[in-house]
Amino acid sequence: MNIVPTLRKRRALAPVAAVALALSLTLTACGGGDSDSSSGGSEDKAAAAGITLVKPGKLTVCTHLPYKPFQYKEGTKVVGFDVDLLDLLAADLGIEQEVVNIEWAQVTSGAAFQAKKCDMGMGAMTITPERQAAISITEPYMDATQVLMAKKDSGIKALADLRGKKLGAQADTTGKKYADDNAKANGYTVIPFNDLALQTNNVKSGRVDAAINDNGVLYDFVKENPDMAVVAEFDTGEQYGFGALKDGSGPKVVAKFNEVLAKAKSDGKYNEIYKKWFGVEPKK
């Protein structure tokens, strides 16, 4: 992604065996109004596209919160860049999006889709061969890369400056994998955190000396925390996609989103949403 200077990102291999945690809460991401069997015409649109929804009248989407500005809670609602993009798909089907907060590994492994907990998964998810083998994934909707964040006065400018120190990484992400892959050469210890908020707050508190994660989320964090700085970028060449079930309705949901994404990029809606969350239009 090209939010500020460059960058792209994240979430890495999700060990299938680790998938056991339960769904924690369910949140409505967009506008009100219950729907079920009364969805009528909207169900017809989904059916016409060959899509069987896990919950009638809803596009149910699993994610792991928070991951600002892609998906996070604002009051009782879940908002963000990814949410807005999937709202385009929901609107095209004539239904509403409902967000389910769940362990990230359940999304990347496909367990959440197999258990019929959701129709799609979002989370600024990097497309990797391992994930492509486990789930259906949309066309790339954004570029990203990994970055290093530390306190502005820490003197840390690169991974090599972390020798003998602690580097925080988010579990089940490509950032964690990048941190692990470079730990031995740079002599630091990787400290895993379950979510972004824990990771960033532990850098601020000094429990860890720096954090590695996607450019989008860490540049967003330093905007509101002037004592912190993104000190290095790593050209990991990642791209984000949304996930779905490997077979059944999954490929059809993915195909429908790809149509919606192509239209949004041609009519300017994608750029409008991008600027709303990142303050600039995407690089061409």
Side-chain angles (χ1 to χ4, degrees):
M1 116 196 204
N2 357 22
I3 299 171
V4 188
T6 50
L7 318 190
R8 283 168 149 271
K9 126 72 180 241
R10 112 165 203 183
R11 307 189 164 187
L13 312 190
V16 177
V19 185
L21 292 189
L23 183 163
S24 53
L25 45 134
T26 301
L27 305 158
T28 300
C30 29
D34 282 335
S35 60
D36 42 49
S37 56
S38 64
S39 51
S42 49
E43 281 301 289
D44 293 341
K45 289 182 181 178
I51 298 167
T52 301
L53 300 168
V54 299
K55 186 184 291 187
K58 299 283 187 185
L59 177 67
T60 309
V61 179
C62 287
T63 190
H64 183 67
L65 301 172
Y67 208 67
K68 187 182 179 184
F70 295 91
Q71 49 274 314
Y72 63 102
K73 284 187 73 176
E74 194 170 80
T76 58
K77 295 179 64 177
V78 178
V79 300
F81 179 70
D82 283 6
V83 177
D84 280 0
L85 287 182
L86 289 184
D87 269 347
L88 297 179
L89 172 60
D92 188 78
L93 294 174
I95 56 180
E96 293 182 344
Q97 180 182 175
E98 184 172 89
V99 180
V100 175
N101 190 25
I102 198 170
E103 181 196 18
W104 181 238
Q106 292 203 41
V107 177
T108 55
S109 68
F113 311 125
Q114 292 164 10
K116 299 186 184 305
K117 292 177 179 175
C118 44
D119 303 298
M120 296 197 80
M122 67 177 173
M125 181 182 72
T126 297
I127 300 170
T128 67
E130 293 83 0
R131 289 168 179 170
Q132 287 175 314
I135 59 178
S136 297
I137 302 181
T138 66
E139 292 293 324
Y141 65 87
M142 187 170 180
D143 295 335
T145 195
Q146 297 299 311
V147 298
L148 184 67
M149 182 188 77
K151 288 185 177 178
K152 195 172 282 183
D153 61 359
S154 67
I156 295 170
K157 300 295 180 186
L159 291 179
D161 297 327
L162 288 168
R163 185 165 296 280
K165 300 181 185 295
K166 297 175 181 176
L167 173 62
Q170 187 173 348
D172 299 318
T173 69
T174 48
K176 170 70 161 50
K177 184 176 187 305
Y178 192 87
D180 289 341
D181 289 348
N182 290 279
K184 185 175 180 181
N186 293 284
Y188 56 73
T189 300
V190 178
I191 306 296
F193 293 99
N194 286 333
D195 63 44
L196 175 68
L198 284 172
Q199 182 192 28
T200 51
N201 288 334
N202 272 275
V203 182
K204 280 187 73 74
S205 71
R207 184 186 172 205
V208 296
D209 301 281
I212 187 168
N213 210 316
D214 292 6
N215 56 337
V217 293
L218 292 189
Y219 272 116
D220 185 82
F221 185 78
V222 301
K223 280 194 301 186
E224 297 178 0
N225 294 272
D227 57 325
M228 309 298 292
V230 171
V231 297
E233 300 182 1
F234 311 107
D235 185 13
T236 53
E238 298 169 53
Q239 290 184 301
Y240 294 155
F242 295 113
L245 189 65
K246 184 68 175 174
D247 50 18
S249 279
K252 294 166 185 172
V253 176
V254 163
K256 191 64 179 171
F257 174 78
N258 289 341
E259 289 177 19
V260 171
L261 178 64
K263 182 174 183 295
K265 287 188 172 180
S266 65
D267 66 13
K269 189 64 181 176
Y270 177 89
N271 283 12
E272 178 185 319
I273 293 172
Y274 192 103
K275 189 171 183 179
K276 170 184 173 183
W277 292 105
F278 302 115
V280 296
E281 292 199 350
K283 289 183 179 178
K284 295 182 179 178

